Amino acid sequence: MVQTLPEDREILIQTDQGVCALVVWAHHILGLNVLVKQSSVSPQHGSSFGSETPNLIIDVYPTTDALRMPSITLLEVSNQEPLFTIKMDHDEHRIDAISKQPAKGYGRRCLEASWREFADSSEERSGQEAGIQEMVLISTAFAMNLSRHICKNPRTELTNFSAAIDLDNGGDAREDSGSDSDSQSEDNMNMWSTYPLRIIDAARLLFNDRKLSMHSVMAYAKLFDGEPLYSIPPTRGICSIAEQNGYSTTLWQKTLLDPARKLSILTLAFSQIADLDSSAGLLLNHSLNVLLDADFRQFSERVKTWDGKFAIPTPEDVWFQVIALLMVGHKDTVNDSFLSKTSLLSDRGWTVFLSTIGDSDPTYINPGCLVVKRGVPYRNGVCKHTVTDGPIAWVPRERRLVREFEAGQTAPLHCGVLTRAGQPYCGEQGDSWVVNLRISTEHAGDKRTFTRRTGYREMFGAVWSMQKTRDCQHAHHSPTSEEKIAVPLNCRAVAIQGDIEIVKWQEKVIVFLTAHNKAARWRALIAIAWANQGARSPGVVLLRGKSCCFQCAIDQASSFAQRCFIVL
């Protein structure tokens, strides 16, 4: 309308962003005369684009003015009377633009941009490829060293701990013989672990380098072992490249060391994706700075200031947060409150979700494991972009809801309490599916039913502190309903129905009678996690695997120096 009636109509846009795009579109493409001004600073002056009377006036207000919303108004030129106004509602999402890149090669592209900044050049310079390859090794080595110091149970008394990866042996995981003398320490049991090969595979994907050598990475990991990440100087390789090409290393920390730290976090996150190859096309924010989001900054700062020796307290959802922030962290709605109850997140046709989504026995779930797939959550013809937990309802802590067997008594291997998973409840809330899972137990005396309402997110937290039993060589079979075990000394066997006060029991080993009942096993893990909240010394949570007999599982639990909860 302004183009057809330029002498009679005028447009006023009030906004705090997008000015450059508006000028390019209105002046350079549409040919309109544009005036950009700031009424709060200089109402009568501004920057003009075009030599004639402006057809479009852009009034830029301060970004600190949170109460104002962008608007566009069509004016009558003669009397400046507004003909109509279009204004953004407060509950609308802002239209924004973001550059995204696929996960395959993402780390290399980040390093290329960082190297150009390090070399103070916008073009490719001599030595760039060698420098980037050096930074790939450094970033992956950081991830390898960090993986050995991730503490699953944040506790201030955790100090140095013996590494689970043998740096002198090419990164091979140390074997546990299972003898009492080899029982893992309390600090070790609280540590998160992952296979070194998983980290290498994640790095090969992110840096698009299928030839990345485990031997080379472990050599760098050994070089940096025990060194604080915040003060590592340029490596000999970086110094050599800089000297040959006349670069200064004064920008090393800002341009190369800082991105390497962030990429090491991303590498660890991708090492937890179940099917890594399926995530090659996952679209990620082009900037790693999104990991400095205020709600994630606490973990980022712990890594940045890590001294290379002490454990890093880490919540169960840290890897999910890393990928979620790089997927949608640029949106105002994504914060810690949002992510803390989210178990699935979808954006631009890609979805990341917790491994507890589904109908799996906890034996098949690895703590912290994630799944990435193409697609969007879909139910009854409706698509949503998130899945969140519904309200959690706990069952009272009543001792009469527990069947107990003391040392010397015989206890059934089966739960002995009717425990089953009910049909999930699913509702809608905005752009989310809200899911409630239900685990029901029947009281043995008066047949009353107690229902524990939970969610995928709470279940994910319940397996975070879990350890799995080692395989044994004995024959495995499904116990009959009559089969029983003799409760050893200093042990107590229980079949639970409520969220119980586990800390009141004094025995060293608590055996949960949940054999071959998936719902009962989940119920036990949730009850243990619930009771351990805030406990000073929560103890070890041991889950019997399918390749370990019942007696060996109890023996393994008894071998730990600290208290142990064993879920059969």
Side-chain angles (χ1 to χ4, degrees):
M1 186 173 290
V2 173
Q3 284 180 299
T4 56
L5 299 170
E7 297 179 357
D8 300 320
R9 299 290 184 264
E10 184 178 277
I11 289 178
L12 171 65
I13 294 179
Q14 294 178 306
T15 184
D16 62 343
Q17 59 183 350
V19 176
C20 293
L22 287 171
V23 171
V24 170
W25 177 257
H27 177 67
H28 295 282
I29 297 178
L30 299 182
L32 299 177
N33 297 295
V34 178
L35 172 65
V36 180
K37 65 177 184 178
Q38 287 182 286
S39 296
S40 59
V41 178
S42 178
Q44 305 300 324
H45 300 88
S47 300
S48 297
F49 298 87
S51 56
E52 301 180 10
T53 303
N55 312 112
L56 172 63
I57 300 174
I58 302 174
D59 184 8
V60 184
Y61 57 81
T63 56
T64 55
D65 191 351
L67 297 178
R68 296 186 66 176
M69 302 298 290
S71 66
I72 179 170
T73 303
L74 183 65
L75 301 170
E76 175 71 44
V77 172
S78 59
N79 54 15
Q80 292 295 292
E81 179 182 349
L83 300 177
F84 65 84
T85 298
I86 301 174
K87 184 177 292 188
M88 179 179 175
D89 292 331
H90 285 272
D91 59 349
E92 280 188 86
H93 294 302
R94 287 178 177 268
I95 298 175
D96 58 3
I98 188 70
S99 173
K100 291 202 169 190
Q101 299 172 351
K104 186 175 183 178
Y106 176 86
R108 180 170 291 273
R109 288 188 289 272
C110 290
L111 290 177
E112 287 173 353
S114 298
W115 186 266
R116 286 193 293 270
E117 189 177 354
F118 172 72
D120 195 23
S121 172
S122 59
E123 300 177 356
E124 182 173 345
R125 295 282 298 273
S126 177
Q128 175 174 311
E129 187 56 36
I132 290 174
Q133 194 59 39
E134 181 81 359
M135 292 309 303
V136 168
L137 292 170
I138 292 172
S139 302
T140 311
F142 284 176
M144 202 69 73
N145 287 347
L146 279 171
S147 72
R148 299 182 293 111
H149 293 82
I150 296 295
C151 170
K152 294 193 295 185
N153 290 326
R155 299 193 314 168
T156 55
E157 65 264 34
L158 280 175
T159 53
N160 295 320
F161 115 100
S162 177
I165 298 174
D166 189 349
L167 296 179
D168 291 318
N169 211 10
D172 294 333
R174 295 176 181 167
E175 294 292 334
D176 190 341
S177 65
S179 65
D180 289 351
S181 60
D182 289 332
S183 295
Q184 300 185 54
S185 68
E186 181 173 358
D187 289 350
N188 202 340
M189 284 304 299
N190 283 298
M191 305 308 293
W192 173 79
S193 63
T194 188
Y195 293 109
L197 188 57
R198 294 287 303 170
I199 298 176
I200 293 295
D201 287 342
R204 287 170 178 167
L205 173 73
L206 289 169
F207 298 113
N208 196 20
D209 185 357
R210 303 306 301 176
K211 296 181 180 180
L212 183 62
S213 165
M214 169 74 82
H215 179 76
S216 299
V217 169
M218 298 314 297
Y220 276 75
K222 187 176 181 180
L223 176 66
F224 301 136
D225 188 35
E227 296 296 326
L229 287 188
Y230 55 82
S231 62
I232 289 178
T235 62
R236 186 179 300 175
I238 293 294
C239 290
S240 175
I241 295 170
E243 184 179 351
Q244 291 174 12
N245 295 277
Y247 303 153
S248 171
T249 58
T250 55
L251 295 177
W252 153 256
Q253 286 213 5
K254 178 183 177 182
T255 60
L256 294 180
L257 183 59
D258 187 56
R261 283 194 297 257
K262 295 172 185 173
L263 286 171
S264 69
I265 296 174
L266 181 60
T267 302
L268 288 179
F270 266 73
S271 74
Q272 295 309 292
I273 296 176
D275 184 4
L276 195 57
D277 290 337
S278 68
S279 64
L282 178 66
L283 297 176
L284 304 175
N285 192 315
H286 76 288
S287 174
L288 286 167
N289 288 332
V290 73
L291 295 181
L292 296 178
D293 179 87
D295 298 309
F296 187 74
R297 186 169 295 168
Q298 186 177 18
F299 181 76
S300 296
E301 288 298 318
R302 285 173 183 168
V303 172
K304 183 177 180 180
T305 59
W306 180 52
D307 65 355
K309 300 172 184 174
F310 293 96
I312 303 175
T314 306
E316 69 273 5
D317 62 345
V318 64
W319 314 128
F320 178 75
Q321 285 196 31
V322 170
I323 296 177
L325 285 171
L326 284 169
M327 286 176 65
V328 296
H330 60 285
K331 296 182 179 179
D332 296 337
T333 55
V334 178
N335 50 40
D336 186 58
S337 175
F338 170 79
L339 291 177
S340 64
K341 57 185 178 182
T342 301
S343 54
L344 179 149
L345 185 65
S346 181
D347 185 64
R348 289 171 170 81
W350 283 93
T351 298
V352 56
F353 56 92
L354 308 181
S355 54
T356 46
I357 289 185
D359 192 31
S360 296
D361 187 283
T363 305
Y364 302 116
I365 293 176
N366 292 320
C369 185
L370 308 173
V371 181
V372 173
K373 287 187 175 181
R374 290 297 301 265
V376 179
Y378 176 91
R379 183 175 183 269
N380 297 336
V382 179
C383 292
K384 302 284 185 180
H385 285 89
T386 57
V387 172
T388 60
D389 281 4
I392 303 300
W394 60 279
V395 177
R397 297 181 172 102
E398 299 182 38
R399 294 298 291 269
R400 62 189 178 84
L401 299 183
V402 185
R403 292 187 64 193
E404 304 179 45
F405 302 88
E406 297 180 350
Q409 295 181 321
T410 56
L413 288 173
H414 281 288
C415 184
V417 175
L418 182 59
T419 305
R420 57 178 178 266
Q423 186 70 21
Y425 289 155
C426 185
E428 299 181 39
Q429 185 177 39
D431 197 27
S432 298
W433 294 114
V434 182
V435 178
N436 249 148
L437 306 178
R438 300 179 302 133
I439 302 177
S440 299
T441 53
E442 187 176 287
H443 191 273
D446 54 20
K447 303 298 182 181
R448 287 183 299 161
T449 298
F450 296 88
T451 299
R452 177 58 156 85
R453 291 179 180 170
T454 182
Y456 298 120
R457 189 57 183 262
E458 187 182 34
M459 292 164 65
F460 194 72
V463 300
W464 178 239
S465 59
M466 174 190 78
Q467 301 284 334
K468 295 180 183 179
T469 55
R470 300 183 299 274
D471 295 349
C472 72
Q473 303 302 317
H474 302 126
H476 309 135
H477 64 281
S478 298
T480 64
S481 58
E482 294 81 18
E483 190 170 355
K484 298 181 179 181
I485 57 169
V487 181
L489 290 174
N490 207 15
C491 291
R492 181 182 294 266
V494 298
I496 66 169
Q497 292 173 286
D499 292 294
I500 54 180
E501 286 284 8
I502 294 174
V503 293
K504 290 184 177 180
W505 290 325
Q506 300 303 313
E507 288 81 1
K508 180 188 170 188
V509 176
I510 307 298
V511 181
F512 290 85
L513 305 171
T514 60
H516 297 289
N517 186 327
K518 178 173 59 179
R521 304 182 97 203
W522 276 117
R523 186 68 188 88
L525 288 171
I526 291 171
I528 293 170
W530 184 268
N532 278 342
Q533 287 182 2
R536 177 173 295 181
S537 182
V540 177
V541 182
L542 198 61
L543 179 72
R544 186 188 69 85
K546 299 297 184 183
S547 299
C548 180
C549 71
F550 298 98
Q551 189 58 53
C552 284
I554 296 174
D555 291 344
Q556 289 180 35
S558 302
S559 69
F560 293 113
Q562 68 274 33
R563 198 175 191 210
C564 184
F565 307 106
I566 172 70
V567 181
L568 294 182

